[in-house]
Structures are given as C-alpha cells and as structure tokens.
Amino acid sequence: MAAHRTLRYQIVDVFTERQLEGNALAVFADSAGLDDRLMQRIARELNLSETVFVLPATRPDCVAKLRIFTPFQELPFAGHPTVGTSFVLLQNGVVPPLVDRFTLEEGVGPVPIRVDTGDRPLIWLTTPAIDEGPVFDRAACAAAVGLDPGDLLNVAPRILSAGNPTLFIAVDDAAAVDRASASLGDWRSLSKTYAEPFCIFVFTPTSEGAYSRMFAPAYGIAEDPATGSSTGPLAAYMIRHRLVSGAPGTRFVSEQGTHMGRRSLLYVLLRGECGADGIEVGGHVTPLIDATMRLTDA
C-alpha cells in the first residue's frame, strides 16, 4: 500500500499590501524530515521565485532555520523569503505577536529581523555584509540588456553581493528600465569575468528612491518582482555614486515588479553614516493561500 504524507504550506505576497501583487512566496512551516532532493523538487513544482522550508534552528540565538530554494537551486540568503517567512512565523505564533526583534538562521548566518508592529506590520531585515565584485564595461552591459550605451548613467556597472551576487546597471529613466530585457545568453555574454551566477539589476534613481527591475536567467528566473537580497546592495551602490543621500536615518523606496504587473515596494533605512551600522530592507506581507500538498510514495 502506498504511503501518504500531507504537507501544509502557505503562500503570501511579499513587499505589498495588495493581494496578487508583490512577490509570491511559498512557506512550508514544518519541514522536518524532508531531504534536500525533495525540497528542490517541491520548489520546482511550485515554480515561484523562491520556496522556503522552515526547520528547527541549530543556533541558540535564532528562532528558526530557513532553507531557501529557487526552482533550480538553493540560496544562502534571499530577501522576500526572509520577510515573508517572518510574517508566517508571527502569524503562526512561532514568534509571539508582541515580539518586535528576533533572528533567523540562514545559509549566510544569522539574519536580524525587526518588526514595526500594528495591524499591517512592516517587517525589516538587516542586510548581511556586502562584498564588492568587479566593474563591468558599460557598453557590454547595455548590449546585454537590450539598451543603447547612451541609456546608461555615467557610472560603472558593478557586482555587489550580500549572499546573491548582483550586477547593478543604472539607467537614465523609467522608460529605459521598462525597455530592458535579459536572457540566459545575455547573462553568459557578461559572465566571462565573474565565475559565479549573478542577477542583473537595472534601475533608475527617482524622487522616492529607485525604479527597478531584476533579471536572474542564471537562476531560472526570467524576472523577479521583488529582490530584497539585492536591495541592500542597491542602497550601497547608490550611496557610492551619490544617487541617494548616505546620511544616517535616510529612508527611500525601491519600486520593483511594476512592469510585469506585480508592483512591489521595498523600503530601505540606513543605520549610521552610509549605512555603516546596517542597511535595513523592509516591506509588508499579504496572506493569500493556505494549502496542503499530498505526497505519495509508491
């Protein structure tokens, strides 16, 4: 007789206060007993940008351990899974409702969480340490995303990483952002100077902060509606090139996903001069689906 296992999971929309916008996330709140291969197969089946499997923490300072999978691979850190899972843990009572600070265990290590409590809590993560990678040729980057070199601002495209390497390409205006596109071939045309897979983040400065799109063909993601792991590095890149103030307490918003019909608002807060005491990325989370997955082992 075949054995059955039923897994409960939730789908939430992250970085939005509206259902069917933002970045959808599946969270399996009890993943004990699932092996790596099954986690990856489930993530591929659901085919969202990321799926999170929650396990007991192995560190005493963390409330839970998160394993984060795209349809094709596991990630050491990702922003919308961190924010979305924090909301689910609060909703499910794993984190008491009045607790406004806790820590999650991820592949990059402990990730601090801060919550502006209320009817619609705003959940903030502290971006892990940001590493700087190589500078890329402006003309090559323009060609790779289907733009003219004249569409780019006069700042050097560069890879920065807080766990997921991201190539930042600054362009003149929102129209240029909306014209951009990227494919696996485009990624390969840029990847000769950098060994790891990386995301391609095209943005323009705005009065509110930034208008952005992110392409991740190397991860099997044609376009990501909201990329929290890249937004802290985006802030660092914008500060370096004086595209946003680096004063302590500076707040701004990166609007992402609008072009693909999944408008997302990612809030940024600088702690200390130029974010020296931390760059926080925050957003709202909107619940959408409570579901079960029934697995049969023949």
Side-chain angles (χ1 to χ4, degrees):
M1 180 179 293
H4 302 285
R5 180 171 184 181
T6 298
L7 302 175
R8 179 175 177 265
Y9 66 98
Q10 294 162 266
I11 293 180
V12 295
D13 289 331
V14 185
F15 295 120
T16 181
E17 294 185 78
R18 298 169 60 93
Q19 290 183 326
L20 308 179
E21 293 187 3
N23 202 351
L25 173 75
V27 180
F28 288 78
D30 181 6
S31 302
L34 300 184
D35 60 33
D36 296 5
R37 180 172 177 268
L38 182 54
M39 290 181 192
Q40 185 64 77
R41 292 179 67 195
I42 291 171
R44 186 172 299 142
E45 176 72 19
L46 294 177
N47 202 34
L48 299 172
S49 293
E50 282 99 10
T51 296
V52 174
F53 299 91
V54 181
L55 297 162
T58 64
R59 299 174 54 103
D61 57 341
C62 295
V63 299
K65 179 178 180 178
L66 276 54
R67 296 193 63 183
I68 304 168
F69 288 80
T70 77
F72 290 92
Q73 68 184 82
E74 185 172 6
L75 300 178
F77 167 71
H80 102 275
T82 300
V83 170
T85 303
S86 296
F87 176 88
V88 170
L89 295 177
L90 285 161
Q91 189 179 55
N92 293 352
V94 176
V95 177
L98 297 181
V99 171
D100 62 359
R101 293 180 186 270
F102 56 94
T103 304
L104 298 176
E105 180 181 353
E106 301 188 23
V108 294
V111 179
I113 303 298
R114 182 174 63 84
V115 183
D116 290 342
T117 56
D119 292 338
R120 298 302 300 268
L122 185 61
I123 299 173
W124 300 86
L125 64 85
T126 298
T127 300
I130 298 171
D131 296 323
E132 291 189 342
V135 170
F136 282 65
D137 178 74
R138 290 174 66 252
C141 289
V145 294
L147 299 176
D148 295 326
D151 290 324
L152 273 60
L153 294 180
N154 191 27
V155 293
R158 186 169 198 163
I159 285 182
L160 285 82
S161 177
N164 295 315
T166 303
L167 173 62
F168 292 94
I169 303 173
V171 302
D172 275 336
D173 53 31
V177 174
D178 285 344
R179 289 198 306 274
S181 64
S183 68
L184 188 58
D186 298 327
W187 173 79
R188 286 173 176 155
S189 74
L190 293 173
S191 65
K192 297 175 183 177
T193 59
Y194 195 78
E196 297 179 54
F198 55 83
C199 309
I200 301 171
F201 199 100
V202 182
F203 76 96
T204 191
T206 67
S207 58
E208 294 81 20
Y211 178 76
S212 312
R213 293 175 68 193
M214 197 284 275
F215 309 98
Y219 294 98
I221 300 169
E223 182 171 356
D224 194 34
T227 317
S229 62
S230 296
T231 300
L234 168 68
Y237 182 86
M238 293 180 71
I239 292 167
R240 171 182 284 273
H241 294 288
R242 299 184 179 180
L243 303 176
V244 71
S245 170
T250 293
R251 295 177 70 135
F252 68 90
V253 179
S254 176
E255 178 182 343
Q256 190 181 333
T258 302
H259 184 74
M260 60 187 298
R262 302 282 312 193
R263 185 171 185 257
S264 306
L265 298 177
L266 295 86
Y267 299 92
V268 177
L269 173 62
L270 302 184
R271 298 289 186 187
E273 187 71 26
C274 297
D277 297 328
I279 299 176
E280 293 188 345
V281 176
H284 295 284
V285 181
T286 300
L288 185 66
I289 297 172
D290 290 313
T292 55
M293 179 178 291
R294 191 179 188 213
L295 299 177
T296 302
D297 297 323

